[in-house]
Amino acid sequence: MFRNLYADTRNVLFSRGFHTGILAVIVYQLFYLVCVSLIYYFLKDTVAAEDVAFVFPSMAAFLVTASTLYLTDREFSDGCIRNKLISGVKRSDAFLSAVCTGMMQGAIYAFVAAALSTVVAVMFTGGFVTFSVNEIADYWLILTLACMAVGAFSTSLIMMLGGSKASYVVGLAIAFALKVYDTFILDKLYPEKGFCQLSGFKLLMYRFIDRFIPYSYFSTVPHYDMGSYVIGCAGMILISVVAGLLVFNRKQIK
């Protein structure tokens, strides 16, 4: 198991696709900083750290999904998964190793984004206005956990589909649909004017999604207790692993 995990981790860390993902995080953050700085320059105002520090969540779900799908799909297209099984690697070990590396990718992307946002906030802004140090740390911890959960889910998805290109469509469609739907949910739960008009089952369902579905953590600042976010991320990882193992252990690998 650990030898297989080491090999998978090494393949990810030296993968050009993974490096492209990290570059995308850096370029996106710096491009946004330049645009916002130009706007504030003409307004003759100082850029607040909040305006540029939390850009990563807007791309996080799509980046982690695309990266894990691409790198895991290569394992199938290159015949690596098949060769592992032929050489005696247990199906469960191969699956769990892939899921762990998917979670690792999400964690590294979040770490790079957090480190870069800290540099940006210190060097190019007037500092944070509405966030304390503890709140910022909690925010990035929750985002990191959410990225790991999404990485586990998308990796499990392509392992279940056996490297089918349909996994790209399904994985990215899920990320897009949940992103759009979560915007709708937030508008209903926290309307800009007036009070929430939901009640009954719909209110409970919307609150559950907002509180326990990791995809929703990218759309707003944390407003629940840390335990809720840990339960949501852990639940998504557990469901991905259990469902993935049940399907992958019975799937024919070509």
Side-chain angles (χ1 to χ4, degrees), residues 5 8-9 12 18 64-65 67-69 71-72 95-109 144 146-156:
L5 180 60
D8 287 348
T9 301
V12 168
F18 178 66
V64 175
T65 299
S67 176
T68 51
L69 288 175
L71 293 177
T72 309
F95 177 86
L96 292 174
S97 178
V99 170
C100 287
T101 54
M103 294 171 61
M104 179 194 69
Q105 291 176 61
I108 292 177
Y109 287 140
T144 301
C147 287
M148 294 174 69
V150 171
F153 174 76
S154 58
T155 303
S156 176

mmCIF file of all heavy atoms in Angstrom, residues 5 8-9 12 18 64-65 67-69 71-72 95-109 144 146-156:
data_model
loop_
_atom_site.group_PDB
_atom_site.id
_atom_site.type_symbol
_atom_site.label_atom_id
_atom_site.label_comp_id
_atom_site.label_asym_id
_atom_site.label_seq_id
_atom_site.Cartn_x
_atom_site.Cartn_y
_atom_site.Cartn_z
ATOM 1 N N LEU A 5 1.412 4.044 -2.818
ATOM 2 C CA LEU A 5 1.088 5.440 -2.525
ATOM 3 C C LEU A 5 2.270 6.351 -2.828
ATOM 4 O O LEU A 5 2.095 7.459 -3.359
ATOM 5 C CB LEU A 5 0.670 5.579 -1.062
ATOM 6 C CG LEU A 5 0.292 6.987 -0.593
ATOM 7 C CD1 LEU A 5 -0.882 7.530 -1.390
ATOM 8 C CD2 LEU A 5 -0.057 6.969 0.898
ATOM 9 N N ASP A 8 2.432 6.759 -6.618
ATOM 10 C CA ASP A 8 1.367 7.640 -7.105
ATOM 11 C C ASP A 8 1.638 9.094 -6.738
ATOM 12 O O ASP A 8 1.414 10.013 -7.541
ATOM 13 C CB ASP A 8 0.021 7.204 -6.533
ATOM 14 C CG ASP A 8 -0.495 5.926 -7.168
ATOM 15 O OD1 ASP A 8 0.074 5.504 -8.199
ATOM 16 O OD2 ASP A 8 -1.458 5.336 -6.636
ATOM 17 N N THR A 9 2.119 9.305 -5.525
ATOM 18 C CA THR A 9 2.437 10.670 -5.090
ATOM 19 C C THR A 9 3.547 11.273 -5.938
ATOM 20 O O THR A 9 3.473 12.436 -6.360
ATOM 21 C CB THR A 9 2.864 10.669 -3.605
ATOM 22 O OG1 THR A 9 1.813 10.145 -2.798
ATOM 23 C CG2 THR A 9 3.202 12.078 -3.141
ATOM 24 N N VAL A 12 2.280 12.301 -9.348
ATOM 25 C CA VAL A 12 1.499 13.546 -9.309
ATOM 26 C C VAL A 12 2.424 14.752 -9.184
ATOM 27 O O VAL A 12 2.295 15.740 -9.919
ATOM 28 C CB VAL A 12 0.491 13.518 -8.137
ATOM 29 C CG1 VAL A 12 -0.108 14.913 -7.918
ATOM 30 C CG2 VAL A 12 -0.617 12.514 -8.414
ATOM 31 N N PHE A 18 -0.203 18.737 -13.058
ATOM 32 C CA PHE A 18 -0.255 19.271 -11.695
ATOM 33 C C PHE A 18 0.460 20.608 -11.621
ATOM 34 O O PHE A 18 -0.027 21.552 -10.974
ATOM 35 C CB PHE A 18 0.378 18.268 -10.737
ATOM 36 C CG PHE A 18 0.427 18.734 -9.306
ATOM 37 C CD1 PHE A 18 -0.736 18.921 -8.584
ATOM 38 C CD2 PHE A 18 1.645 18.976 -8.684
ATOM 39 C CE1 PHE A 18 -0.700 19.347 -7.259
ATOM 40 C CE2 PHE A 18 1.692 19.393 -7.370
ATOM 41 C CZ PHE A 18 0.523 19.575 -6.654
ATOM 42 N N VAL A 64 -9.669 21.754 -8.892
ATOM 43 C CA VAL A 64 -9.393 20.471 -8.236
ATOM 44 C C VAL A 64 -10.048 19.330 -9.008
ATOM 45 O O VAL A 64 -9.443 18.272 -9.210
ATOM 46 C CB VAL A 64 -9.887 20.493 -6.776
ATOM 47 C CG1 VAL A 64 -9.721 19.123 -6.140
ATOM 48 C CG2 VAL A 64 -9.126 21.537 -5.971
ATOM 49 N N THR A 65 -11.276 19.548 -9.458
ATOM 50 C CA THR A 65 -11.981 18.517 -10.232
ATOM 51 C C THR A 65 -11.249 18.206 -11.525
ATOM 52 O O THR A 65 -10.988 17.036 -11.848
ATOM 53 C CB THR A 65 -13.417 18.963 -10.547
ATOM 54 O OG1 THR A 65 -14.139 19.170 -9.321
ATOM 55 C CG2 THR A 65 -14.141 17.903 -11.368
ATOM 56 N N SER A 67 -8.113 18.804 -12.379
ATOM 57 C CA SER A 67 -6.777 18.260 -12.155
ATOM 58 C C SER A 67 -6.826 16.785 -11.774
ATOM 59 O O SER A 67 -6.093 15.959 -12.341
ATOM 60 C CB SER A 67 -6.074 19.056 -11.050
ATOM 61 O OG SER A 67 -4.817 18.496 -10.734
ATOM 62 N N THR A 68 -7.693 16.439 -10.818
ATOM 63 C CA THR A 68 -7.765 15.049 -10.378
ATOM 64 C C THR A 68 -8.322 14.141 -11.467
ATOM 65 O O THR A 68 -7.862 13.008 -11.630
ATOM 66 C CB THR A 68 -8.626 14.929 -9.111
ATOM 67 O OG1 THR A 68 -9.891 15.592 -9.320
ATOM 68 C CG2 THR A 68 -7.929 15.559 -7.924
ATOM 69 N N LEU A 69 -9.281 14.635 -12.228
ATOM 70 C CA LEU A 69 -9.827 13.834 -13.324
ATOM 71 C C LEU A 69 -8.760 13.559 -14.376
ATOM 72 O O LEU A 69 -8.609 12.437 -14.859
ATOM 73 C CB LEU A 69 -11.027 14.543 -13.964
ATOM 74 C CG LEU A 69 -12.324 14.596 -13.151
ATOM 75 C CD1 LEU A 69 -13.366 15.426 -13.884
ATOM 76 C CD2 LEU A 69 -12.862 13.207 -12.865
ATOM 77 N N LEU A 71 -5.378 13.677 -14.130
ATOM 78 C CA LEU A 71 -4.253 12.849 -13.687
ATOM 79 C C LEU A 71 -4.672 11.407 -13.424
ATOM 80 O O LEU A 71 -3.907 10.473 -13.686
ATOM 81 C CB LEU A 71 -3.629 13.453 -12.428
ATOM 82 C CG LEU A 71 -2.942 14.812 -12.637
ATOM 83 C CD1 LEU A 71 -2.425 15.360 -11.328
ATOM 84 C CD2 LEU A 71 -1.801 14.685 -13.636
ATOM 85 N N THR A 72 -5.879 11.198 -12.909
ATOM 86 C CA THR A 72 -6.344 9.835 -12.673
ATOM 87 C C THR A 72 -6.683 9.143 -13.987
ATOM 88 O O THR A 72 -6.433 7.938 -14.149
ATOM 89 C CB THR A 72 -7.579 9.835 -11.752
ATOM 90 O OG1 THR A 72 -7.310 10.608 -10.586
ATOM 91 C CG2 THR A 72 -7.939 8.413 -11.321
ATOM 92 N N PHE A 95 -7.142 1.736 -5.328
ATOM 93 C CA PHE A 95 -8.199 2.746 -5.232
ATOM 94 C C PHE A 95 -7.888 3.763 -4.133
ATOM 95 O O PHE A 95 -7.959 4.977 -4.351
ATOM 96 C CB PHE A 95 -9.543 2.070 -4.957
ATOM 97 C CG PHE A 95 -10.667 3.044 -4.763
ATOM 98 C CD1 PHE A 95 -11.370 3.536 -5.850
ATOM 99 C CD2 PHE A 95 -11.019 3.481 -3.489
ATOM 100 C CE1 PHE A 95 -12.400 4.446 -5.668
ATOM 101 C CE2 PHE A 95 -12.043 4.385 -3.302
ATOM 102 C CZ PHE A 95 -12.735 4.871 -4.398
ATOM 103 N N LEU A 96 -7.545 3.284 -2.943
ATOM 104 C CA LEU A 96 -7.278 4.179 -1.820
ATOM 105 C C LEU A 96 -6.072 5.062 -2.083
ATOM 106 O O LEU A 96 -6.047 6.232 -1.687
ATOM 107 C CB LEU A 96 -7.068 3.367 -0.541
ATOM 108 C CG LEU A 96 -8.312 2.649 -0.004
ATOM 109 C CD1 LEU A 96 -7.945 1.762 1.178
ATOM 110 C CD2 LEU A 96 -9.378 3.654 0.397
ATOM 111 N N SER A 97 -5.066 4.522 -2.762
ATOM 112 C CA SER A 97 -3.894 5.316 -3.106
ATOM 113 C C SER A 97 -4.277 6.455 -4.052
ATOM 114 O O SER A 97 -3.818 7.596 -3.888
ATOM 115 C CB SER A 97 -2.833 4.425 -3.762
ATOM 116 O OG SER A 97 -1.714 5.194 -4.147
ATOM 117 N N ALA A 98 -5.126 6.150 -5.031
ATOM 118 C CA ALA A 98 -5.571 7.181 -5.971
ATOM 119 C C ALA A 98 -6.367 8.270 -5.255
ATOM 120 O O ALA A 98 -6.183 9.466 -5.507
ATOM 121 C CB ALA A 98 -6.417 6.545 -7.077
ATOM 122 N N VAL A 99 -7.249 7.859 -4.347
ATOM 123 C CA VAL A 99 -8.053 8.831 -3.603
ATOM 124 C C VAL A 99 -7.163 9.708 -2.723
ATOM 125 O O VAL A 99 -7.367 10.923 -2.635
ATOM 126 C CB VAL A 99 -9.113 8.109 -2.752
ATOM 127 C CG1 VAL A 99 -9.789 9.082 -1.785
ATOM 128 C CG2 VAL A 99 -10.167 7.463 -3.649
ATOM 129 N N CYS A 100 -6.177 9.112 -2.089
ATOM 130 C CA CYS A 100 -5.253 9.892 -1.245
ATOM 131 C C CYS A 100 -4.494 10.936 -2.054
ATOM 132 O O CYS A 100 -4.311 12.071 -1.601
ATOM 133 C CB CYS A 100 -4.271 8.958 -0.541
ATOM 134 S SG CYS A 100 -4.989 7.989 0.802
ATOM 135 N N THR A 101 -4.050 10.551 -3.247
ATOM 136 C CA THR A 101 -3.330 11.526 -4.081
ATOM 137 C C THR A 101 -4.283 12.607 -4.596
ATOM 138 O O THR A 101 -3.869 13.760 -4.772
ATOM 139 C CB THR A 101 -2.646 10.828 -5.270
ATOM 140 O OG1 THR A 101 -3.608 10.049 -6.002
ATOM 141 C CG2 THR A 101 -1.526 9.923 -4.808
ATOM 142 N N GLY A 102 -5.543 12.247 -4.824
ATOM 143 C CA GLY A 102 -6.528 13.259 -5.203
ATOM 144 C C GLY A 102 -6.738 14.267 -4.091
ATOM 145 O O GLY A 102 -6.821 15.483 -4.335
ATOM 146 N N MET A 103 -6.819 13.780 -2.865
ATOM 147 C CA MET A 103 -6.945 14.676 -1.710
ATOM 148 C C MET A 103 -5.695 15.527 -1.546
ATOM 149 O O MET A 103 -5.778 16.710 -1.191
ATOM 150 C CB MET A 103 -7.203 13.852 -0.452
ATOM 151 C CG MET A 103 -8.537 13.121 -0.444
ATOM 152 S SD MET A 103 -8.696 11.961 0.937
ATOM 153 C CE MET A 103 -8.558 13.067 2.332
ATOM 154 N N MET A 104 -4.541 14.941 -1.800
ATOM 155 C CA MET A 104 -3.280 15.676 -1.694
ATOM 156 C C MET A 104 -3.247 16.835 -2.680
ATOM 157 O O MET A 104 -2.793 17.943 -2.347
ATOM 158 C CB MET A 104 -2.102 14.740 -1.953
ATOM 159 C CG MET A 104 -0.740 15.408 -1.891
ATOM 160 S SD MET A 104 0.574 14.376 -2.589
ATOM 161 C CE MET A 104 0.138 14.391 -4.333
ATOM 162 N N GLN A 105 -3.707 16.598 -3.892
ATOM 163 C CA GLN A 105 -3.737 17.665 -4.888
ATOM 164 C C GLN A 105 -4.575 18.838 -4.402
ATOM 165 O O GLN A 105 -4.165 20.003 -4.497
ATOM 166 C CB GLN A 105 -4.298 17.141 -6.206
ATOM 167 C CG GLN A 105 -3.390 16.161 -6.920
ATOM 168 C CD GLN A 105 -4.042 15.602 -8.164
ATOM 169 O OE1 GLN A 105 -4.385 16.343 -9.088
ATOM 170 N NE2 GLN A 105 -4.250 14.296 -8.194
ATOM 171 N N GLY A 106 -5.774 18.534 -3.879
ATOM 172 C CA GLY A 106 -6.632 19.596 -3.365
ATOM 173 C C GLY A 106 -5.965 20.370 -2.243
ATOM 174 O O GLY A 106 -6.039 21.605 -2.196
ATOM 175 N N ALA A 107 -5.292 19.654 -1.334
ATOM 176 C CA ALA A 107 -4.628 20.310 -0.205
ATOM 177 C C ALA A 107 -3.488 21.212 -0.676
ATOM 178 O O ALA A 107 -3.320 22.329 -0.166
ATOM 179 C CB ALA A 107 -4.103 19.253 0.767
ATOM 180 N N ILE A 108 -2.714 20.751 -1.644
ATOM 181 C CA ILE A 108 -1.576 21.550 -2.129
ATOM 182 C C ILE A 108 -2.062 22.803 -2.856
ATOM 183 O O ILE A 108 -1.508 23.895 -2.667
ATOM 184 C CB ILE A 108 -0.676 20.703 -3.046
ATOM 185 C CG1 ILE A 108 0.012 19.607 -2.229
ATOM 186 C CG2 ILE A 108 0.373 21.577 -3.731
ATOM 187 C CD1 ILE A 108 0.864 18.665 -3.065
ATOM 188 N N TYR A 109 -3.083 22.665 -3.679
ATOM 189 C CA TYR A 109 -3.626 23.841 -4.361
ATOM 190 C C TYR A 109 -4.099 24.879 -3.341
ATOM 191 O O TYR A 109 -3.846 26.084 -3.497
ATOM 192 C CB TYR A 109 -4.788 23.448 -5.271
ATOM 193 C CG TYR A 109 -4.378 22.711 -6.522
ATOM 194 C CD1 TYR A 109 -5.116 21.629 -7.003
ATOM 195 C CD2 TYR A 109 -3.260 23.097 -7.244
ATOM 196 C CE1 TYR A 109 -4.749 20.950 -8.155
ATOM 197 C CE2 TYR A 109 -2.872 22.424 -8.395
ATOM 198 C CZ TYR A 109 -3.630 21.353 -8.846
ATOM 199 O OH TYR A 109 -3.250 20.680 -9.983
ATOM 200 N N THR A 144 -9.279 24.228 2.615
ATOM 201 C CA THR A 144 -8.375 23.095 2.377
ATOM 202 C C THR A 144 -9.114 21.772 2.540
ATOM 203 O O THR A 144 -8.977 20.861 1.715
ATOM 204 C CB THR A 144 -7.191 23.148 3.356
ATOM 205 O OG1 THR A 144 -6.475 24.378 3.176
ATOM 206 C CG2 THR A 144 -6.237 21.990 3.103
ATOM 207 N N ALA A 146 -12.305 21.308 2.193
ATOM 208 C CA ALA A 146 -13.260 21.196 1.084
ATOM 209 C C ALA A 146 -12.568 20.753 -0.196
ATOM 210 O O ALA A 146 -13.097 19.922 -0.946
ATOM 211 C CB ALA A 146 -13.967 22.535 0.871
ATOM 212 N N CYS A 147 -11.388 21.297 -0.469
ATOM 213 C CA CYS A 147 -10.620 20.892 -1.648
ATOM 214 C C CYS A 147 -10.234 19.416 -1.570
ATOM 215 O O CYS A 147 -10.264 18.708 -2.586
ATOM 216 C CB CYS A 147 -9.365 21.763 -1.791
ATOM 217 S SG CYS A 147 -9.671 23.449 -2.347
ATOM 218 N N MET A 148 -9.876 18.954 -0.394
ATOM 219 C CA MET A 148 -9.534 17.548 -0.221
ATOM 220 C C MET A 148 -10.754 16.658 -0.449
ATOM 221 O O MET A 148 -10.655 15.595 -1.069
ATOM 222 C CB MET A 148 -8.958 17.323 1.176
ATOM 223 C CG MET A 148 -7.616 18.002 1.417
ATOM 224 S SD MET A 148 -7.042 17.879 3.123
ATOM 225 C CE MET A 148 -6.692 16.128 3.227
ATOM 226 N N ALA A 149 -11.920 17.106 0.036
ATOM 227 C CA ALA A 149 -13.148 16.330 -0.157
ATOM 228 C C ALA A 149 -13.526 16.262 -1.629
ATOM 229 O O ALA A 149 -13.908 15.202 -2.143
ATOM 230 C CB ALA A 149 -14.287 16.945 0.655
ATOM 231 N N VAL A 150 -13.405 17.389 -2.335
ATOM 232 C CA VAL A 150 -13.707 17.410 -3.767
ATOM 233 C C VAL A 150 -12.708 16.549 -4.532
ATOM 234 O O VAL A 150 -13.065 15.830 -5.473
ATOM 235 C CB VAL A 150 -13.692 18.858 -4.295
ATOM 236 C CG1 VAL A 150 -13.781 18.889 -5.822
ATOM 237 C CG2 VAL A 150 -14.847 19.653 -3.702
ATOM 238 N N GLY A 151 -11.432 16.585 -4.117
ATOM 239 C CA GLY A 151 -10.418 15.745 -4.749
ATOM 240 C C GLY A 151 -10.720 14.270 -4.580
ATOM 241 O O GLY A 151 -10.570 13.474 -5.511
ATOM 242 N N ALA A 152 -11.175 13.885 -3.376
ATOM 243 C CA ALA A 152 -11.546 12.487 -3.124
ATOM 244 C C ALA A 152 -12.745 12.087 -3.975
ATOM 245 O O ALA A 152 -12.779 10.994 -4.552
ATOM 246 C CB ALA A 152 -11.852 12.290 -1.644
ATOM 247 N N PHE A 153 -13.735 12.960 -4.060
ATOM 248 C CA PHE A 153 -14.954 12.649 -4.812
ATOM 249 C C PHE A 153 -14.673 12.496 -6.302
ATOM 250 O O PHE A 153 -15.115 11.527 -6.930
ATOM 251 C CB PHE A 153 -15.988 13.753 -4.595
ATOM 252 C CG PHE A 153 -17.227 13.604 -5.434
ATOM 253 C CD1 PHE A 153 -18.188 12.667 -5.113
ATOM 254 C CD2 PHE A 153 -17.419 14.399 -6.557
ATOM 255 C CE1 PHE A 153 -19.334 12.516 -5.890
ATOM 256 C CE2 PHE A 153 -18.546 14.260 -7.340
ATOM 257 C CZ PHE A 153 -19.509 13.309 -7.008
ATOM 258 N N SER A 154 -13.946 13.443 -6.886
ATOM 259 C CA SER A 154 -13.693 13.385 -8.327
ATOM 260 C C SER A 154 -12.781 12.218 -8.691
ATOM 261 O O SER A 154 -12.959 11.579 -9.737
ATOM 262 C CB SER A 154 -13.085 14.712 -8.815
ATOM 263 O OG SER A 154 -11.883 15.011 -8.121
ATOM 264 N N THR A 155 -11.806 11.907 -7.831
ATOM 265 C CA THR A 155 -10.938 10.754 -8.082
ATOM 266 C C THR A 155 -11.736 9.459 -8.001
ATOM 267 O O THR A 155 -11.584 8.562 -8.846
ATOM 268 C CB THR A 155 -9.779 10.708 -7.071
ATOM 269 O OG1 THR A 155 -9.037 11.931 -7.133
ATOM 270 C CG2 THR A 155 -8.853 9.543 -7.368
ATOM 271 N N SER A 156 -12.583 9.356 -6.987
ATOM 272 C CA SER A 156 -13.434 8.175 -6.848
ATOM 273 C C SER A 156 -14.343 8.016 -8.054
ATOM 274 O O SER A 156 -14.584 6.901 -8.530
ATOM 275 C CB SER A 156 -14.265 8.285 -5.571
ATOM 276 O OG SER A 156 -15.160 7.195 -5.449
#
